[in-house]
């Protein structure tokens, strides 16, 4: 009897020792990386400005979490692991999880026509499947760009209902389903709508019951009412060129694609569940990693709200988010059992991407992780003369749109149709770095004092031949144009011998000649169309994620 007692005691002590050793190892690991991570996030940051909340998970255990900077600048409230952020498109993986659950339960099929559940979606004459929504191959217009074209201002309220109403009035698809990939937030809002139809529950109620409560994520929710009070909210800020902070309004309620509010403490629980589900081959989780493909067979690296990629030979599962001043990223390295979460409340893209790169280098031994973005500080300070830069400047046809290279304060600027200008840093006399994308732009050797082509993302751009409209043509373009799809109108007029397009809410935008009857502007590409009498009677508006929205001339 005594021998049995002694034996049991030794086993008990052995188990306790093992547990204590494990906990001590975890504690030592945390202590060893804490000062290094602190140094990464304190470097080049303003302690009185917006900042980030960070967590590191290893083999299902949180080995580090902390907050840096301020959640509220007006009252100097610091960011903690309890601070609540809008994580923007990181929300899509939760929608993907919900849809994967419905598939597993046999309630829906990925090959189902979405009109089986959403008959309010127009019949475009081509089947759009649930899989098309998941993998961004539907051809449906992306709501941020579409609603801006309709007159919405970026900081204004945009609700789930607004998005559904926009879809109801779409007149044609941007492309046939399955023939192209175009990231569309709209698709994930429709996935939320499908869940509501199938389950007879609101999306917010379903996710609260089946995700947040089940996983102990008590501070997480999808926002459906912008007037809701949010405790411990990290407010959204921007920084201008003079390092002055301003508050950015955020009243978005686009659940399904966005509008998930959560904190680091809760997100670690989600990631631990995601890691475990993948490790145990749970079909609900592993299905989320199933990427799509086009009808042509071309593979797409996008799964169920998650991107499956590679970082220096290591497989990654991740998603980023950006809305207003919020920036977020969740990245898993499944084989290494590592996960990194960063949530920020300032609109500095470099803050989150550079920090992710540095964290990956720190946490993955032998890593030669390259920065996702190449910042100005990381590029050579090479100065090229204005004579050479002028040879590269001009407008080039690139892919579906145009890229214009201009010179500002002695620096070449990059601008895609309808988007902001971004500076280029010279690497050589013909290659430049677009820091915001971390990708090079290479020009061909100038001929007759002009470069004819350039290469970006392995796609060649060709200089366009200048189109100079006559005065009669300019007057022919003038008039008031109305879109039945967007319920809005634009006025085209001449100001100081230049064609200008005006919107009551958005302001005035100069139209720059591109090719015959085609102009580029900050709102996109405008192509004027002629009637049988050879007079302009309409124009089409296209952007990066919106194609051929028709505006008919209703008045001269």
């Amino acid at each position: 009897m005594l021998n049995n007692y002694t034996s049991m005691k030794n086993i008990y002590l052995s188990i306790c020792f093992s547990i204590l050793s494990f906990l001590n190892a975890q504690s030592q690991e945390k202590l060893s990386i804490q000062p290094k991570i602190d140094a990464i996030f304190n470097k080049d940051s303003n302690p009185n400005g917006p900042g980030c909340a960070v967590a590191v998970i290893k083999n299902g255990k949180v080995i580090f979490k902390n907050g840096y900077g301020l959640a509220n600048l007006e009252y100097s409230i610091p960011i903690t692991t309890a601070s609540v952020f809008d994580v923007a498109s990181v929300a899509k993986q939760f929608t993907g999880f919900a849809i994967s659950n419905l598939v597993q339960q046999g309630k829906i099929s990925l090959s189902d026509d979405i009109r089986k559940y959403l008959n309010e979606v127009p019949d475009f004459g081509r089947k759009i499947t649930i899989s098309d929504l998941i993998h961004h191959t539907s051809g449906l217009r992306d709501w941020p760009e579409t609603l801006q074209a309709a007159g919405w201002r970026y900081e204004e309220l945009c609700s789930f209902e607004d998005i559904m109403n926009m879809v109801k009035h779409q007149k044609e698809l941007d492309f046939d389903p399955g023939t192209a990939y175009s990231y569309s937030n709209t698709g994930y809002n429709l996935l939320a709508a499908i869940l509501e139809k199938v389950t007879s529950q609101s999306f917010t109620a379903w996710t609260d019951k089946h995700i947040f409560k089940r996983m102990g994520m008590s501070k997480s929710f999808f926002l459906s009412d912008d007037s809701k009070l949010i405790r411990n909210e990290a407010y959204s800020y921007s920084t201008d060129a003079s390092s002055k902070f301003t508050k950015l309004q955020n009243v978005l309620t686009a659940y399904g694609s966005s509008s998930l509010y959560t904190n680091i403490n809760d997100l670690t629980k989600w990631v631990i569940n995601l890691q475990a589900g993948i490790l145990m081959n749970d079909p609900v989780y592993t299905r989320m990693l199933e990427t799509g493909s086009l009808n042509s067979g071309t593979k797409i690296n996008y799964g169920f709200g998650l991107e499956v990629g590679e970082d220096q030979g290591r497989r990654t599962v991740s998603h980023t988010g950006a809305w207003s001043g919020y920036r977020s990223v969740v990245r898993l390295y499944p084989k290494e059992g590592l996960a990194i979460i960063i949530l920020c409340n300032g609109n500095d893209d470099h803050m989150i991407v550079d920090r992710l790169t540095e964290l990956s280098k720190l946490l993955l031994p032998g890593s030669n992780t390259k920065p996702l973005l190449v910042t100005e500080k990381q590029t050579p300070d090479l100065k090229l003369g204005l004579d050479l830069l002028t040879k590269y400047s001009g407008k080039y046809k690139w892919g579906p749109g145009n890229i214009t290279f201009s010179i500002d304060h002695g620096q070449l600027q990059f601008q895609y149709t309808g988007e902001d200008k971004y500076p280029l840093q010279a690497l050589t006399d013909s290659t430049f770095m677009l820091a915001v994308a971390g990708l090079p732009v290479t020009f061909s050797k100038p001929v007759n004092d002009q470069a004819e082509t350039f290469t970006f993302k392995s796609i060649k751009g060709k200089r366009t031949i200048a189109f100079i409209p006559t005065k009669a043509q300019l007057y022919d373009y003038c008039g008031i144009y109305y879109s039945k799809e967007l319920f809005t109108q634009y006025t085209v007029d001449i100001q100081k011998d230049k064609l200008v397009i005006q919107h009551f809410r958005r302001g005035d935008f100069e139209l720059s000649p591109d090719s015959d009857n085609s102009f580029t502007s900050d709102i996109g590409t405008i192509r004027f169309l002629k009637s049988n009498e050879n007079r302009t009677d309409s124009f089409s508006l296209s952007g990066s994620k919106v194609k051929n929205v028709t505006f008919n001339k209703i008045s001269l």
Side-chain angles (χ1 to χ4, degrees):
M1 184 74 174
L2 184 62
N3 287 339
N4 288 341
Y5 172 76
T6 303
S7 177
M8 289 296 293
K9 181 179 179 182
N10 289 338
I11 292 172
Y12 174 76
L13 289 173
S14 176
I15 292 171
C16 288
F17 180 76
S18 298
I19 293 173
L20 287 172
S21 297
F22 174 78
L23 292 175
N24 183 61
Q26 292 281 331
S27 177
Q28 290 299 317
E29 184 173 13
K30 181 175 180 179
L31 287 174
S32 68
I33 66 172
Q34 180 163 348
K36 297 175 183 178
I37 295 179
D38 287 345
I40 288 173
F41 282 88
N42 288 327
K43 180 180 64 175
D44 300 327
S45 63
N46 184 342
N48 298 313
C52 304
V54 187
V56 177
I57 301 163
K58 187 69 182 292
N59 297 324
K61 301 291 182 182
V62 179
I63 63 171
F64 179 86
K65 59 181 179 178
N66 203 1
Y68 305 89
L70 298 180
N72 183 291
L73 273 58
E74 293 92 324
Y75 293 97
S76 299
I77 300 172
I79 290 174
T80 70
T81 59
S83 299
V84 175
F85 295 76
D86 177 351
V87 297
S89 287
V90 166
K92 288 183 174 66
Q93 58 199 273
F94 292 82
T95 305
F97 174 82
I99 293 298
S100 184
N101 265 278
L102 297 185
V103 172
Q104 189 64 25
Q105 294 165 18
K107 294 182 177 180
I108 62 173
S109 169
L110 296 179
S111 60
D112 284 344
D113 188 329
I114 65 172
R115 297 190 76 250
K116 175 180 178 180
Y117 309 100
L118 306 175
N119 57 17
E120 63 267 41
V121 174
D123 183 356
F124 297 105
R126 290 167 304 278
K127 178 182 176 182
I128 300 172
T129 66
I130 292 176
S131 179
D132 286 322
L133 299 182
I134 289 167
H135 300 299
H136 302 293
T137 59
S138 69
L140 291 165
R141 307 198 198 284
D142 194 30
W143 60 257
E145 190 172 355
T146 305
L147 291 179
Q148 278 194 303
W152 259 259
R153 296 189 180 111
Y154 182 80
E155 68 276 7
E156 285 183 314
L157 169 65
C158 172
S159 68
F160 179 84
E161 291 73 23
D162 292 328
I163 296 165
M164 293 301 294
N165 203 34
M166 179 202 85
V167 173
K168 290 177 188 177
H169 292 93
Q170 184 167 334
K171 300 301 182 186
E172 61 180 79
L173 295 172
D174 283 351
F175 51 84
D176 286 346
T179 62
Y181 170 89
S182 181
Y183 186 88
S184 174
N185 290 281
T186 308
Y188 274 72
N189 304 116
L190 293 185
L191 290 171
I194 289 172
L195 180 141
E196 292 181 331
K197 288 290 180 70
V198 171
T199 65
S200 299
Q201 298 180 63
S202 70
F203 183 77
T204 53
W206 192 96
T207 51
D208 184 57
K209 178 181 179 180
H210 295 278
I211 301 179
F212 305 137
K213 280 188 169 63
R214 187 171 70 81
M215 297 185 186
M217 300 171 66
S218 60
K219 306 302 180 185
S220 301
F221 58 91
F222 277 96
L223 187 68
S224 59
D225 178 2
D226 69 290
S227 66
K228 178 175 179 173
L229 299 179
I230 302 174
R231 290 181 59 82
N232 296 321
E233 181 179 7
Y235 287 84
S236 166
Y237 298 95
S238 69
T239 310
D240 62 19
S242 61
S243 297
K244 178 183 176 182
F245 299 115
T246 56
K247 184 188 288 186
L248 290 177
Q249 299 299 319
N250 181 32
V251 287
L252 181 69
T253 56
Y255 58 83
S257 69
S258 323
S259 303
L260 171 62
Y261 283 74
T262 186
N263 61 25
I264 280 290
N265 294 333
D266 276 7
L267 267 185
T268 55
K269 297 174 183 177
W270 162 255
V271 170
I272 288 170
N273 274 277
L274 183 58
Q275 285 180 319
I278 294 171
L279 193 63
M280 293 186 295
N281 289 317
D282 184 325
V284 172
Y285 291 94
T286 56
R287 186 180 294 110
M288 294 175 66
L289 307 186
E290 293 176 4
T291 55
S293 60
L294 301 181
N295 297 343
S296 64
T298 302
K299 299 296 183 183
I300 298 169
N301 68 348
Y302 201 93
F304 286 55
L306 290 166
E307 291 181 282
V308 179
E310 188 178 286
D311 177 21
Q312 294 297 295
R314 297 180 173 92
R315 189 189 191 206
T316 60
V317 176
S318 62
H319 211 292
T320 57
W323 183 258
S324 194
Y326 295 107
R327 300 292 184 269
S328 53
V329 64
V330 172
R331 175 179 282 187
L332 281 67
Y333 294 85
K335 186 177 180 181
E336 289 74 19
L338 177 71
I340 299 169
I341 307 170
I342 307 174
L343 310 179
C344 301
N345 65 332
N347 67 341
D348 182 354
D349 293 317
H350 293 298
M351 168 64 78
I352 193 165
V353 180
D354 292 348
R355 301 303 181 263
L356 176 62
T357 299
E358 293 182 69
L359 268 182
S360 300
K361 285 182 178 180
L362 172 66
L363 299 167
L364 293 168
S367 174
N368 292 314
T369 304
K370 295 180 180 179
L372 297 180
L373 299 182
V374 179
T375 65
E376 296 179 19
K377 294 179 181 179
Q378 295 168 319
T379 56
D381 190 22
L382 180 63
K383 300 294 183 183
L384 300 181
L386 284 177
D387 287 346
L388 181 56
L389 295 181
T390 301
K391 295 177 182 179
Y392 299 139
S393 65
K395 187 178 296 181
Y396 297 73
K397 184 68 178 175
W398 184 84
N402 295 284
I403 292 177
T404 300
F405 296 98
S406 57
I407 302 171
D408 188 11
H409 293 90
Q411 189 171 25
L412 202 61
Q413 307 288 319
F414 177 108
Q415 184 176 29
Y416 184 73
T417 303
E419 297 184 1
D420 293 333
K421 289 182 181 180
Y422 295 101
L424 292 168
Q425 285 83 44
L427 301 179
T428 69
D429 61 358
S430 62
T431 299
F432 298 75
M433 181 58 66
L434 180 61
V436 71
L439 295 170
V441 177
T442 302
F443 289 91
S444 62
K445 184 177 180 179
V447 177
N448 298 325
D449 288 333
Q450 282 191 333
E452 293 300 322
T453 63
F454 76 94
T455 302
F456 177 61
K457 291 185 176 180
S458 301
I459 300 173
K460 183 169 288 188
K462 186 175 182 181
R463 183 183 292 274
T464 59
I465 299 173
F467 164 58
I468 304 175
T470 65
K471 185 165 288 188
Q473 285 177 305
L474 292 180
Y475 278 108
D476 182 49
Y477 299 139
C478 292
I480 299 173
Y481 295 80
Y482 182 78
S483 169
K484 292 181 179 179
E485 177 178 336
L486 302 183
F487 296 92
T488 195
Q489 69 180 38
Y490 284 86
T491 299
V492 176
D493 200 3
I494 299 173
Q495 294 181 6
K496 298 180 180 178
D497 296 325
K498 292 183 178 180
L499 205 61
V500 173
I501 189 165
Q502 305 165 320
H503 190 277
F504 174 70
R505 306 194 76 245
R506 299 190 67 190
D508 296 1
F509 302 91
E510 182 180 333
L511 294 175
S512 176
D514 176 23
S515 58
D516 192 22
N517 295 316
S518 181
F519 294 74
T520 56
S521 71
D522 287 344
I523 65 169
T525 298
I526 304 291
R527 178 173 290 278
F528 291 100
L529 305 171
K530 300 285 187 176
S531 67
N532 292 334
E533 292 78 27
N534 201 33
R535 294 186 63 84
T536 300
D537 65 356
S538 63
F539 72 71
S540 66
L541 170 65
S542 297
S544 59
K545 296 178 183 178
V546 175
K547 308 298 180 190
N548 302 319
V549 179
T550 299
F551 287 77
N552 292 304
K553 184 183 281 192
I554 59 174
S555 176
L556 296 177

